[in-house]
Amino acid sequence: MAHDHHGDEMTEPPSEMALRVQALESLLVEKGLVDPKALDVIVDRYENRVGPRNGAHVVARAWTDPDYLERLRADATAAIAELDYTGRQGEHMVVVENGPKLHNLVVCTLCSCYPWPVLGLPPAWYKSSPYRSRAVIDPRGVLAEFGTMLDEDVEVKVWDSTSEVRFLVLPERPEGTEGWTIEQLIPLVSRNSMIGVEKARPATGAAA
Amino acid sequence: MTPATTPDQLPALEALPDLPRDDDGPVFREPWEASAFAITLELHAAGHFTWDEWATTLSQQISAAQAAGDPDLGNTYYRHWLAALESLVTTKALATPEALDLRAQDWVRAYRSTPHGHPVKLKTG
């Protein structure tokens, strides 16, 4: 599947509501009535408040239900919709699975395509130009900055999100979680582990 | 410039009884909802309106929508929020309704003339 192009198509405007907010925000910023950086700070504070728990639910279900995992591999969009997580920018989901010898990392090199129905609002660093450029050139360096050290023989694959395809990383299930329920597993699945900059949280120290 | 609204200076959200929230605070279904929320907090923090004025405007908007048949299941909450914010912004003469409409149209044109993946820049006029 081609995942390295954004195509030459023009940008589709967002929903009417999003456009009205954008109109309001840009006018108020222009008049100096609100500071765009201050708005970013408030929105970033809530970036965890939209949906990473939706994605964590998908991951925990896949860890515990082999049939669901199969459906997720075959058609991630449909399998995610089974859990009622749908919406704009989540229409064409592809799940990439980590394994003992494979680590996946998601970026959007050209803009900030992001599957927010499952992951919420993109964090500021995901939208930043250094992450977007360096994730492709030096993925191990980027991972190291997030404290993620991989063995030499682990392959790192970088997936470039586009307007057509949004990727969700399925992190490896942490050791020592055999027999855990979905509810116990969900807190182990961080947003960053589903972007691929970190691994899922270890079983130790988690609120089981 | 530091943001006018810091986490420990959140206005009285409990004045907004229907605000979608969980134990940790407000929750949003879509990014534009968080933006509308943030704009409101910033305008309030900068003193353009009081929180009472905001709560009143919002509840009037919600009552009007309910009277017009909105089932009010929570999923339309931020539509009402945005309509209330636009109304308060125009009442306070921070922007005119015409300017808001024109600006939204400018954005549509800007999106449609920008190849996907490139930053969308506003061309006004």
Side-chain angles (χ1 to χ4, degrees), chain A residues 5 49 108 132 143 172:
Chain A
H5 75 283
R49 311 287 311 135
C108 178
R132 282 157 43 214
L143 288 169
E172 280 189 284

Short mmCIF file of all heavy atoms in Angstrom, two decimals, chain A residues 5 49 108 132 143 172:
data_model
loop_
_atom_site.label_atom_id
_atom_site.label_comp_id
_atom_site.label_asym_id
_atom_site.label_seq_id
_atom_site.Cartn_x
_atom_site.Cartn_y
_atom_site.Cartn_z
N HIS A 5 2.88 9.16 0.06
CA HIS A 5 2.51 10.33 -0.72
C HIS A 5 1.32 11.02 -0.08
O HIS A 5 0.50 10.40 0.57
CB HIS A 5 2.16 9.94 -2.14
CG HIS A 5 0.83 9.28 -2.24
ND1 HIS A 5 0.62 7.99 -1.87
CD2 HIS A 5 -0.38 9.76 -2.64
CE1 HIS A 5 -0.66 7.69 -2.04
NE2 HIS A 5 -1.29 8.74 -2.49
N ARG A 49 -7.58 14.55 26.63
CA ARG A 49 -8.94 14.49 27.11
C ARG A 49 -9.93 14.05 26.03
O ARG A 49 -11.10 13.90 26.32
CB ARG A 49 -9.38 15.86 27.64
CG ARG A 49 -8.40 16.49 28.57
CD ARG A 49 -8.36 15.85 29.93
NE ARG A 49 -9.68 15.70 30.45
CZ ARG A 49 -10.14 14.60 31.02
NH1 ARG A 49 -9.36 13.56 31.13
NH2 ARG A 49 -11.35 14.55 31.48
N CYS A 108 3.53 12.24 10.56
CA CYS A 108 2.96 12.82 9.34
C CYS A 108 3.98 13.85 8.91
O CYS A 108 4.11 14.90 9.55
CB CYS A 108 1.61 13.47 9.59
SG CYS A 108 0.96 14.22 8.08
N ARG A 132 8.62 15.91 12.73
CA ARG A 132 8.17 15.47 11.41
C ARG A 132 9.35 15.15 10.50
O ARG A 132 9.30 14.23 9.72
CB ARG A 132 7.26 16.53 10.79
CG ARG A 132 5.85 16.47 11.37
CD ARG A 132 5.09 17.79 11.24
NE ARG A 132 5.30 18.38 9.94
CZ ARG A 132 5.35 19.67 9.70
NH1 ARG A 132 5.20 20.52 10.71
NH2 ARG A 132 5.53 20.14 8.50
N LEU A 143 13.45 8.07 19.07
CA LEU A 143 13.00 7.13 20.09
C LEU A 143 13.82 7.29 21.37
O LEU A 143 13.27 7.27 22.48
CB LEU A 143 13.11 5.69 19.56
CG LEU A 143 12.07 5.31 18.50
CD1 LEU A 143 12.42 3.99 17.85
CD2 LEU A 143 10.68 5.24 19.13
N GLU A 172 3.49 -4.04 21.87
CA GLU A 172 3.57 -5.39 22.42
C GLU A 172 2.93 -5.42 23.80
O GLU A 172 3.10 -4.48 24.59
CB GLU A 172 5.04 -5.81 22.56
CG GLU A 172 5.67 -6.27 21.27
CD GLU A 172 7.03 -6.87 21.56
OE1 GLU A 172 7.97 -6.09 21.80
OE2 GLU A 172 7.14 -8.11 21.59
#
